[in-house]
């Protein structure tokens, strides 16, 4: 009987999604979604019936058993609000002044962030087709609105993460409180009984990558500057007597950035986009070689992984870094194409990533990436270019406390590739 009820509910939800009138696809003024495969960037949810899937359900049921009346009230309030003003509590006594009617430019920025999420989230929900917890089990009793859309990834968490990241650029001195409120806001989707923890986690990871792409847009930076000026002038207590807005943190400060090219490739005449056998061996060897990176007197623990986005002609940067990503548990960011080094520079400057990011790039585009990061490819590489037949170099860039390039050098790997 319980199985029959589950099948009925699941079929009803799927039918509702398939027969509902198609809504016009939303667009964003900050990026072209047609150029990005967001499905490829999103880790799949736990397989139905797997141990991870069962753990997800147990987490939902635990939240249901332990939620208090106050938590339910807050979760229901968060369920009804998806704009940036959910972060009003981080401003303490000034919180009531942080609202849409008094901050129209900030409200417009918030709406555009929601639009950006709406470009990405609905197609992913349809692609992964994960039923909501209350559809998967009659033991789940949601306390928030039950919608017909699928569960993975969480739309609220995606929007909330984008808004939190934008707000940290407006009031960086409130970053700790902003992220604490984001943790509560995202977890409340589980408290509501309408999402699994992995739905929330995937949304936050994807949104961090998406925000790096958004931050590279001049149109976004213009809107952000207007919202920053509006918030900081309206909430006068934030300026601490200064008319100047706070300077956002530069996350390249005190960084050591490592750059490698992708592993060995087939001859261009083959038209193959992957790696050769030697390239696959190199990629596998990297899973140990960079844990930690020990060369030329250095011992560095890699803190974040970046690879150039897949293109029609090459998926090699991603393939080169995937074994290291799996071995280390570090997510691999592949949102930026190798022909857009400025976008990667902006991502590194605006998003936390630890102090030793490792970047895998197409070798022909590495000189442009070096230039974008303030380095001089002419003094590092022969004739300013990375030779086509060289695979065993690592570029090491060190940045000072102000995020300025302090030193650059080229290191030859002592990696054995059989």
């Amino acid at each position: 009987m319980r199985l029959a009820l589950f099948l009925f509910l699941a079929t009803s939800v799927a039918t509702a999604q398939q027969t509902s009138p198609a809504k016009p696809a939303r667009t964003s003024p900050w990026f072209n979604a047609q150029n990005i495969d967001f499905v490829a960037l999103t880790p799949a949810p736990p397989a139905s019936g797997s141990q991870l899937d069962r753990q997800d359900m147990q987490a939902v049921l635990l939240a249901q058993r332990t939620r208090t009346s106050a938590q339910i009230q807050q979760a229901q309030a968060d369920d009804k609000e998806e704009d940036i003003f959910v972060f009003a509590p981080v401003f303490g006594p000034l919180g009531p002044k942080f609202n849409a009617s008094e901050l129209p430019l900030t409200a417009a920025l918030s709406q555009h962030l929601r639009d950006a999420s709406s470009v990405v989230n609905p197609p992913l929900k349809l692609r992964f087709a994960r039923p909501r917890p209350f559809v998967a089990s009659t033991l789940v009793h949601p306390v928030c609105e039950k919608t017909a859309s699928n569960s993975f990834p969480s739309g609220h968490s995606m929007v909330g993460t984008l808004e939190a990241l934008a707000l940290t650029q407006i009031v960086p001195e409130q970053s700790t409180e902003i992220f604490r409120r984001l943790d509560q806001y995202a977890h409340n989707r589980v408290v509501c009984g309408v999402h699994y923890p992995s739905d929330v986690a995937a949304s936050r990871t994807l949104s961090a990558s998406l925000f790096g792409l958004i931050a590279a847009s001049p149109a976004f930076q213009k809107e952000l500057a207007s919202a920053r000026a509006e918030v900081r002038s309206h909430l006068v207590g934030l300026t601490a007597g200064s008319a100047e807005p706070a300077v956002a943190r530069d996350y390249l400060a005190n960084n050591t950035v490592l750059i490698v090219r992708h592993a060995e490739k087939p001859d261009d005449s083959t038209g193959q986009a992957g790696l050769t056998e030697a390239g696959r061996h190199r990629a596998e060897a990297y899973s140990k070689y960079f844990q930690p990176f020990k060369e030329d007197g250095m011992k560095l623990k890699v803190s974040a992984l970046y690879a150039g986005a897949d293109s029609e002609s090459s998926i090699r940067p991603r393939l080169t870094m995937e074994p290291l990503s799996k071995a280390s548990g570090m997510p691999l960011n592949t949102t930026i194409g190798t022909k857009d080094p400025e976008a990667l520079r902006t991502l590194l400057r605006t998003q936390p990533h630890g102090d030793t990011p490792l970047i895998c790039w197409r070798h022909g585009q590495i000189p442009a990436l070096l230039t974008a990061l303030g380095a001089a490819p002419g003094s590092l590489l022969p004739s300013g270019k990375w030779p086509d037949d060289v695979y065993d170099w690592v570029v090491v860039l060190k940045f000072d406390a102000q995020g300025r390039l302090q030193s650059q050098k080229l290191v030859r790997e002592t990696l054995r590739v059989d």
Side-chain angles (χ1 to χ4, degrees):
M1 182 68 179
R2 189 171 293 175
L3 176 62
L5 177 60
F6 166 75
L7 292 174
F8 171 75
L9 290 171
T11 303
S12 299
V13 169
T15 303
Q17 290 180 336
Q18 292 172 3
T19 59
S20 297
K23 296 181 180 178
R26 290 196 176 186
T27 59
S28 171
W30 302 325
F31 64 92
N32 184 352
Q34 301 301 316
N35 296 335
I36 306 162
D37 186 355
F38 288 105
V39 171
L41 298 177
T42 308
S48 178
S50 67
Q51 181 179 355
L52 291 177
D53 185 48
R54 293 194 295 271
Q55 289 174 351
D56 247 3
M57 178 59 78
Q58 289 303 313
V60 173
L61 294 174
L62 176 62
Q64 178 174 284
R65 289 195 302 271
T66 59
R67 61 194 178 195
T68 64
S69 297
Q71 287 175 322
I72 290 173
Q73 263 190 324
Q74 184 62 64
Q76 290 172 334
D78 287 348
D79 181 57
K80 294 179 172 64
E81 189 168 9
E82 291 186 76
D83 58 47
I84 201 169
F85 303 107
V86 298
F87 294 95
V90 308
F91 297 108
L94 295 172
K97 293 171 66 66
F98 187 68
N99 62 71
S101 61
E102 297 187 54
L103 300 168
L105 298 178
T106 307
L109 175 70
S110 176
Q111 182 59 56
H112 284 150
L113 288 166
R114 291 180 65 181
D115 291 343
S117 175
S118 295
V119 171
V120 176
N121 189 270
L124 293 178
K125 285 185 182 293
L126 289 173
R127 167 64 178 81
F128 292 109
R130 189 185 199 188
R132 300 269 184 174
F134 57 83
V135 174
S137 172
T138 56
L139 296 176
V140 178
H141 305 295
V143 292
C144 300
E145 181 183 0
K146 294 193 288 186
T147 64
S149 64
N150 290 321
S151 190
F152 184 93
S154 164
H156 276 69
S157 300
M158 184 173 288
V159 171
T161 302
L162 291 176
E163 291 168 341
L165 291 170
L167 193 55
T168 62
Q169 302 301 301
I170 295 172
V171 283
E173 66 270 41
Q174 300 292 111
S175 293
T176 299
E177 291 78 10
I178 291 168
F179 286 125
R180 186 179 294 121
R181 173 68 175 116
L182 174 61
D183 289 342
Q184 178 194 45
Y185 183 78
H187 178 64
N188 277 343
R189 304 310 293 156
V190 181
V191 173
C192 277
V194 297
H195 277 293
Y196 300 95
S198 63
D199 300 341
V200 170
S203 291
R204 295 187 63 169
T205 298
L206 181 60
S207 293
S209 298
L210 177 59
F211 188 77
L213 181 66
I214 288 170
S217 164
F220 168 77
Q221 290 296 333
K222 184 177 180 179
E223 280 199 56
L224 181 67
S226 297
R228 182 188 296 118
E230 180 182 62
V231 169
R232 300 196 73 86
S233 62
H234 186 68
L235 304 184
V236 292
L238 296 177
T239 60
S242 170
E244 294 297 322
V247 177
R249 177 178 174 182
D250 187 339
Y251 287 98
L252 268 179
N254 297 314
N255 267 207
T256 299
V257 177
L258 306 176
I259 303 173
V260 298
R261 71 168 292 181
H262 58 70
E264 284 83 345
K265 64 175 182 175
D267 185 272
D268 289 339
S269 63
T270 67
Q272 296 178 15
L275 301 175
T276 63
E277 184 176 0
R280 290 190 290 274
H281 286 315
R282 182 178 297 278
E284 290 294 337
Y286 276 170
S287 65
K288 293 183 179 178
Y289 181 70
F290 285 105
Q291 292 197 86
F293 175 65
K294 293 186 287 187
E295 288 286 11
D296 202 30
M298 297 178 289
K299 184 177 180 181
L300 302 171
K301 183 178 180 181
V302 173
S303 59
L305 300 176
Y306 299 87
D310 290 353
S311 67
E312 292 182 2
S313 59
S314 176
I315 58 175
R316 289 182 279 273
R318 172 174 59 81
L319 295 179
T320 302
M321 288 289 100
E322 278 186 339
L324 175 58
S325 175
K326 292 177 182 177
S328 65
M330 284 185 288
L332 177 59
N333 187 312
T334 59
T335 59
I336 309 295
T338 56
K339 292 184 178 180
D340 195 3
E342 290 81 9
L344 181 60
R345 176 197 61 204
T346 301
L347 177 62
L348 292 172
R349 289 199 180 279
T350 59
Q351 296 304 303
H353 51 257
D355 55 10
T356 311
L358 170 61
I359 302 166
C360 184
W361 221 238
R362 295 179 67 182
H363 73 289
Q365 303 298 329
I366 287 179
L369 176 60
L370 294 173
T371 300
L373 292 172
S379 63
L380 272 175
L381 308 173
S383 302
K385 297 181 180 179
W386 192 298
D388 188 59
D389 60 346
V390 174
Y391 292 89
D392 61 349
W393 288 349
V394 182
V395 173
V396 182
L397 305 179
K398 290 190 176 182
F399 294 82
D400 65 16
Q402 284 71 49
R404 296 173 302 205
L405 184 67
Q406 190 174 42
S407 67
Q408 58 181 32
K409 64 179 175 180
L410 195 63
V411 175
R412 186 176 293 276
E413 298 172 357
T414 55
L415 175 71
R416 286 190 59 186
V417 181
D418 298 324

